[in-house]
Amino acid sequence: MWNLAGMVPVVGDDIRAAQGMASVVDDLAQTALPKLSDTAHALLTAQLSDNGAVNLTPIADASEGLTEANTLIQEQLEDLQNLPTPHIGMVKDAYTQGVSQFQDIAELLDQATNMVQILPQFLGQDGTRTYLIIANTPAETRSGGGLIGSLGTMTAENGKITIGDFHSNKEFQGLGSSATASEQAVFSWPLKFSFDIRDQMAKPDFADVAASVVDIWNRSPYACEIDGVMSIDPVFIQELVKLNGDITLDNGMVVTGDNAAEFLLNTIYKEVAIDAQDQYFQIVAFETMDKMFSGLDFNKLMAMAKTMIPMAQQRHLYMYSFHEDEAQNFQNAGLAKGLPSSEENPEVGIYMNQQNASKLDWYVQRQTQVTRTACNTDGSQPYRISFTMTNTVPWSDVYNYSWYLVGGNNNTGSAGQAVERMLFYAPAGGSLSNFSVSSNMAGAPEQTTMDDATVWTSVAYMGPGESVTYEFDVTTSPKAVSDLTVDQTPLGWTDTGVTVDTSACAIQ
């Protein structure tokens, strides 16, 4: 009778939706939840911390159960999303709320599953692993992060972690560069990047960054076998401080889960002498990394899962392995972002590179509006993007602080003037077109090629209080099955500044 009623025009959609929702919830209760409950109970009761090391056995054992439950829940979410859209208000409200809540559960479980799969490999379950740690600062932007300030090492052996010394970028600047001819051509002006250790994050693909940083590291006195590369910035450090507790510096400054990012991205350049800044950064980075896996229990494991995956999605964190089987898991989890590469889940890439040597990007606010304008019959989707940068540096900072903070020392911009080398990348299988720029202080983007990928590039100048807006059209691949997202150079905070309007139509 229900199936028959489901054939009635209009209201039949509501009946089929109600049937489908009931079926999904029943399937959830019968299959995924028991498996998830058993796995979670095993982790809850396990001793994950063992004499200063991480006990990897229960984490590895939980991987199979979580993976199975995650697969079931992702399939059930897809079934739910594929149901017909209800028309009756009560049914439509229940369906909309149900999909939203199910998406939240599916996303959290996916993050936890990725963490449980990766952690034993990362922490040396299959042999000793030595990672090169990059500490970078988005206060001076480079495409995939910021200027690299220091390098250190972390060694993991069957859950036992040892953090090595951090070394300032000054120790590596004389060791030569690592860049392709096309990279050097794009970054030839107004500031010609030397592509010594400081500029390596100008490459948006972290696989390239990892290889080139290790190349430079191995020219240094600290050369050693490197199994992978990890990159962190002050925003990620702040999230770790929230998990692990405050850090008190020798000057009495207390670095907390609320002020760590601002201290390392701005305050340090105002209150700490230039020759001591690297030391403070290294102290905070060392302590947070050293405490990262200490005292691990179920709650901390889940908190790390909720933290690390979003941090990697926003490019505040990278974890990259040179071991092929492990690298596949890291990439699947989104822990080593590259250029937009998925036709099914399209991204547009918007990357910034500070040309006025300074820490002015702490002051550059961004707002991005993504508006879908249609849903084409071939499956592709056109969007209009509006990307605005505003330089909020106060004149008092320009007057009171040195070039190290506000620039004006290298003939590429005046004090307080942010100068950004912009890179724009189309979604995989898609295109960019119809660029316009709001200011005569920014050039119209020109198309070129860098590392065999097409990129549109421009330079924008923004004095204190000035803004530049780039607007352009984006068309996704016909294979796209999700809304367009924005992959961008990380900011000094977690709010991405991106708003999305898809009211014009819904992807079928």
Side-chain angles (χ1 to χ4, degrees):
M1 290 177 64
W2 278 101
N3 290 336
L4 183 63
M7 299 173 65
V8 176
V10 184
V11 74
D13 286 346
D14 293 83
I15 292 170
R16 291 197 302 276
Q19 279 184 294
M21 286 190 284
S23 177
V24 166
V25 171
D26 180 65
D27 192 27
L28 176 71
Q30 298 280 355
T31 60
L33 287 184
K35 176 62 68 176
L36 182 59
S37 177
D38 291 344
T39 305
H41 179 72
L43 276 174
L44 271 167
T45 55
Q47 181 67 37
L48 300 182
S49 185
D50 183 18
N51 292 324
V54 178
N55 181 8
L56 299 178
T57 301
I59 299 174
D61 291 344
S63 177
E64 182 178 348
L66 273 180
T67 300
E68 184 178 343
N70 187 41
T71 299
L72 290 168
I73 284 183
Q74 303 303 329
E75 291 172 350
Q76 290 156 0
L77 173 61
E78 185 176 356
D79 291 343
L80 196 61
Q81 291 172 323
N82 288 335
L83 293 173
T85 303
H87 302 279
I88 299 171
M90 183 181 293
V91 181
K92 186 174 183 179
D93 289 346
Y95 174 73
T96 301
Q97 183 182 28
V99 170
S100 177
Q101 293 178 342
F102 213 103
Q103 284 175 325
D104 290 343
I105 294 171
E107 181 179 359
L108 180 59
L109 182 57
D110 197 48
Q111 292 170 359
T113 302
N114 286 328
M115 172 67 75
V116 168
Q117 286 178 331
I118 290 167
L119 201 57
Q121 296 176 331
F122 181 72
L123 294 182
Q125 176 183 256
D126 300 322
T128 302
R129 297 288 185 265
T130 298
Y131 300 96
L132 190 58
I133 302 176
I134 298 170
N136 73 90
T137 174
E140 186 166 356
T141 54
R142 298 294 183 263
S143 297
L147 182 139
I148 295 175
S150 58
L151 298 176
T153 56
M154 182 183 89
T155 300
E157 182 177 6
N158 199 29
K160 179 69 174 178
I161 300 162
T162 304
I163 305 295
D165 293 334
F166 277 78
H167 306 279
S168 168
N169 60 26
K170 296 181 180 66
E171 298 188 46
F172 303 93
Q173 290 175 25
L175 301 178
S177 66
S178 183
T180 64
S182 62
E183 291 164 356
Q184 291 172 335
V186 168
F187 294 103
S188 62
W189 73 276
L191 176 65
K192 181 176 175 59
F193 279 0
S194 65
F195 278 102
D196 63 26
I197 195 65
R198 295 169 294 178
D199 298 328
Q200 294 304 314
M201 296 293 284
K203 309 169 187 185
D205 189 336
F206 191 72
D208 293 340
V209 176
S212 59
V213 170
V214 171
D215 179 42
I216 294 173
W217 172 265
N218 283 334
R219 302 174 201 164
S220 77
Y222 314 112
C224 60
E225 183 175 347
I226 297 294
D227 297 285
V229 179
M230 186 174 182
S231 178
I232 60 175
D233 74 4
V235 177
F236 177 64
I237 288 174
Q238 178 164 291
E239 295 302 307
L240 289 187
V241 175
K242 286 180 183 177
L243 288 176
N244 298 317
D246 298 346
I247 297 171
T248 302
L249 302 177
D250 58 11
N251 65 353
M253 168 78 182
V254 179
V255 179
T256 73
D258 296 318
N259 70 9
E262 182 172 4
F263 172 69
L264 294 173
L265 291 170
N266 184 247
T267 307
I268 192 172
Y269 303 115
K270 296 178 176 180
E271 299 182 357
V272 178
I274 292 176
D275 58 359
Q277 290 167 4
D278 286 338
Q279 179 184 359
Y280 278 107
F281 197 113
Q282 291 163 25
I283 289 171
V284 176
F286 178 93
E287 288 208 28
T288 52
M289 293 301 299
D290 193 43
K291 295 178 180 177
M292 188 172 177
F293 298 104
S294 65
L296 191 67
D297 59 14
F298 178 82
N299 289 332
K300 186 173 180 179
L301 181 65
M302 291 301 101
M304 288 176 59
K306 289 178 66 176
T307 297
M308 293 179 70
I309 303 301
M311 285 285 99
Q313 290 170 346
Q314 293 185 25
R315 293 181 175 261
H316 297 295
L317 166 70
Y318 297 90
M319 294 168 65
Y320 185 86
S321 175
F322 293 116
H323 293 264
E324 188 173 344
D325 54 339
E326 297 174 9
Q328 184 176 4
N329 285 337
F330 285 31
Q331 290 284 47
N332 288 344
L335 291 173
K337 293 204 73 168
L339 292 173
S341 60
S342 173
E343 293 191 54
E344 292 77 14
N345 301 295
E347 291 181 308
V348 59
I350 304 177
Y351 310 116
M352 302 162 55
N353 295 269
Q354 183 60 249
Q355 305 287 282
N356 187 1
S358 65
K359 302 302 180 286
L360 281 169
D361 286 295
W362 169 259
Y363 301 101
V364 178
Q365 303 285 326
R366 300 180 226 162
Q367 294 294 325
T368 308
Q369 175 64 46
V370 180
T371 305
R372 181 156 61 227
T373 55
C375 294
N376 295 334
T377 55
D378 68 351
S380 63
Q381 306 148 39
Y383 293 81
R384 187 67 177 171
I385 305 290
S386 177
F387 175 79
T388 300
M389 301 176 291
T390 302
N391 183 1
T392 66
V393 61
W395 281 108
S396 58
D397 282 9
V398 177
Y399 295 142
N400 292 326
Y401 296 107
S402 76
W403 65 269
Y404 201 78
L405 177 65
V406 298
N409 193 48
N410 60 356
N411 299 317
T412 60
S414 58
Q417 184 181 49
V419 183
E420 306 286 353
R421 164 63 69 179
M422 303 299 303
L423 305 180
F424 301 91
Y425 286 85
S431 62
L432 304 183
S433 61
N434 298 326
F435 277 91
S436 66
V437 186
S438 67
S439 170
N440 59 8
M441 295 301 290
E446 298 178 351
Q447 185 175 321
T448 187
T449 300
M450 187 171 84
D451 297 333
D452 299 322
T454 299
V455 58
W456 294 79
T457 183
S458 168
V459 177
Y461 295 80
M462 293 167 289
E466 295 178 348
S467 297
V468 171
T469 297
Y470 290 91
E471 292 191 356
F472 54 98
D473 292 331
V474 180
T475 302
T476 69
S477 163
K479 298 178 183 179
V481 296
S482 64
D483 299 332
L484 179 71
T485 58
V486 177
D487 180 42
Q488 62 178 327
T489 300
L491 296 103
W493 43 87
T494 56
D495 182 0
T496 63
V498 177
T499 55
V500 179
D501 180 1
T502 58
S503 59
C505 57
I507 302 172
Q508 298 301 313

